[in-house]
Amino acid sequence: MPKWMSLENAVHYMMLSEAIYGWLFMLYLHKCSGCFYLMKNLTCCGCFRRKRIPIKGDNCCYCYLTGVKYLSKLSTDDILFASFKNNLCEIPFFVIVDEKTNKIVIILRGSLSLRDVITDITADSAIFECEGVPPGAQAHRGMIQGAKLILRQLDNHKVLERAFNMYPHYDLLITGHSLGAGIGTLLGFLLRQRYPSLKVYAFATPAGLVSRELARISEEFIFTIGIGDDFVMRLSVDSIENLRTRLLMVLRACRLPKYRVVLNGLGYVLFGIPEKDLEKMWKPNSVIKTISGESPLLNDRNINRLEENRIYEPDFTKRRFSQVRLYTSGKILHITERNVDKSDGKKKKLKIKKKTI
């Protein structure tokens, strides 16, 4: 593992990735006193004052910028550019100079609005073309558009050119959480030819992001961090289709009427499934045999889609929206909690798993 992929750096950039959520996250952290923290730092009638830095999409009192500065502990002089516009495939981001690590840092926000959710669910694969990427490589369609929109803003306002004119010995780094991590990863591919030393810290990156060949390349400059059972890092079109297929197969094997399944579901969740119900519920030889951790449609990851459809005869197994399986990018650091001493369940220690695609 390279030295730059460290927990100390990850904690630092995670704080910046949280700060981009702005005043809403600030009020969430300080439910009773958040308004007072926000009010004392607002810029009254800021839209009529001369702007020290380019700010796009904030309100007249700069509420969003105030929340960002409070959460990140940055001063106005540290912020080089900020865009808080939130449209379809366009997320807020800001660019700072980080004197602690000698980096120019681009921080991107994760999902917070309905527009962001629509960007997330536009998850089919599309061709991703840029320098240094193999022809035919594919990625998440909505996030490709998001990365290109951010790159256009950076180029139109010459943000990075001005930044590196002021700090020529600094390197470029991109960080973000969730949707911001996914778009930041693709933005990293788009900017890597201009800035070869570029690095990306991605937190809770969505699973269905890049094709296999891009995932391999991303291990060179992308560090992905996930905590516990974060479902976002396991969520993709492919995993949703596998879940749907397994549910249909289970329902087909179940002898009970479907309304009974729905009505009894809540009771099973609260009190568990009685053994007598398990005996009555399944037809003989109807148990679905799968390898642990894999979908019945993905037992062999190397078979192509046509062979997969030929093997699984039922019609619903052929209803596959995704044509190419997409993966999580970068080298993955998975952090979980485990009990150190069985006699004392309160004592816990971080358990770290390093994964590569």
Side-chain angles (χ1 to χ4, degrees):
M1 184 75 76
K3 291 183 179 179
W4 66 271
M5 294 183 180
S6 66
L7 276 176
E8 182 181 1
N9 289 338
V11 170
H12 175 69
Y13 292 118
M14 185 64 214
M15 182 184 71
L16 295 176
S17 298
E18 290 178 346
I20 187 60
Y21 286 93
W23 63 275
L24 288 172
F25 189 58
M26 180 179 171
L27 294 179
Y28 173 77
L29 293 177
H30 306 285
K31 295 179 177 62
C32 297
S33 57
C35 291
F36 300 102
Y37 287 118
L38 188 64
M39 290 174 63
K40 71 178 183 180
N41 294 301
L42 292 177
T43 303
C44 183
C45 301
C47 53
F48 297 105
R49 301 188 181 191
R50 184 178 179 181
K51 298 179 178 63
R52 297 175 60 184
I53 58 173
I55 303 172
K56 307 295 179 182
D58 207 347
N59 57 27
C60 194
C61 295
Y62 295 160
C63 289
Y64 214 129
L65 183 66
T66 300
V68 166
K69 290 195 295 184
Y70 176 84
L71 293 169
S72 63
K73 312 302 180 187
L74 294 170
S75 66
T76 305
D77 295 332
D78 295 326
I79 301 175
L80 304 178
F81 180 85
S83 173
F84 301 117
K85 294 180 180 179
N86 190 197
N87 298 313
L88 191 63
C89 296
E90 183 178 6
I91 61 173
F93 73 98
F94 67 108
V95 182
I96 68 165
V97 52
D98 187 3
E99 296 181 355
K100 179 180 178 181
T101 58
N102 294 335
K103 305 284 186 186
I104 302 297
V105 186
I106 303 174
I107 302 106
L108 297 90
R109 198 194 73 184
S111 302
L112 194 62
S113 68
L114 182 59
R115 297 182 182 93
D116 298 331
V117 174
I118 296 174
T119 303
D120 284 318
I121 63 177
T122 311
D124 60 314
S125 57
I127 298 295
F128 181 57
E129 297 179 347
C130 70
E131 294 182 30
V133 168
Q138 300 196 32
H140 186 293
R141 184 184 298 275
M143 295 185 190
I144 290 176
Q145 297 302 319
K148 289 180 177 179
L149 286 173
I150 290 178
L151 180 62
R152 188 182 305 166
Q153 289 192 65
L154 293 174
D155 289 341
N156 290 343
H157 297 281
K158 300 186 182 303
V159 177
L160 298 180
E161 288 84 345
R162 290 189 292 103
F164 285 107
N165 285 336
M166 297 169 60
Y167 304 94
H169 301 297
Y170 281 29
D171 293 324
L172 182 62
L173 188 140
I174 301 173
T175 186
H177 171 260
S178 186
L179 175 61
I183 293 180
T185 294
L186 300 181
L187 181 63
F189 278 104
L190 294 172
L191 288 171
R192 196 183 180 209
Q193 297 302 310
R194 303 186 199 176
Y195 308 98
S197 60
L198 178 146
K199 299 291 185 293
V200 178
Y201 279 80
F203 301 92
T205 310
L209 181 60
V210 293
S211 55
R212 172 69 78 175
E213 56 270 23
L214 285 182
R216 290 195 181 99
I217 297 172
S218 69
E219 292 180 14
E220 301 173 7
F221 67 101
I222 296 176
F223 187 31
T224 298
I225 299 96
I227 299 178
D229 297 326
D230 187 349
F231 80 98
V232 173
M233 294 194 69
R234 299 164 174 83
L235 189 63
S236 66
V237 174
D238 211 59
S239 63
I240 293 298
E241 288 186 328
N242 294 335
L243 175 62
R244 178 209 62 193
T245 301
R246 296 187 71 175
L247 286 174
L248 290 174
M249 293 179 77
V250 169
L251 288 173
R252 189 181 65 174
C254 180
R255 297 178 61 186
L256 292 177
K258 302 307 176 283
Y259 77 91
R260 286 279 306 278
V261 175
V262 175
L263 293 177
N264 291 346
L266 180 59
Y268 292 156
V269 169
L270 296 176
F271 307 108
I273 304 177
E275 187 174 349
K276 62 178 182 178
D277 282 5
L278 285 175
E279 294 174 356
K280 296 177 181 179
M281 195 175 298
W282 301 99
K283 298 177 183 177
N285 302 320
S286 63
V287 178
I288 303 168
K289 298 180 180 180
T290 61
I291 299 174
S292 177
E294 292 192 0
S295 163
L297 293 184
L298 293 175
N299 290 339
D300 185 355
R301 297 182 180 181
N302 296 322
I303 61 177
N304 58 39
R305 190 68 62 187
L306 294 176
E307 185 178 1
E308 188 177 75
N309 290 342
R310 180 179 61 81
I311 293 174
Y312 298 97
E313 295 294 339
D315 290 339
F316 59 79
T317 62
K318 298 179 182 179
R319 301 168 193 164
R320 308 289 293 181
F321 178 75
S322 59
Q323 300 300 317
V324 176
R325 187 178 184 188
L326 301 179
Y327 299 83
T328 307
S329 60
K331 287 192 175 180
I332 302 173
L333 179 68
H334 184 210
I335 304 174
T336 60
E337 287 185 337
R338 65 179 178 88
N339 292 331
V340 178
D341 187 356
K342 293 183 179 179
S343 62
D344 185 6
K346 295 182 180 180
K347 293 181 180 180
K348 292 185 177 180
K349 183 180 179 180
L350 286 177
K351 180 180 179 182
I352 300 174
K353 300 178 182 177
K354 298 176 182 177
K355 300 180 180 179
T356 57
I357 296 298

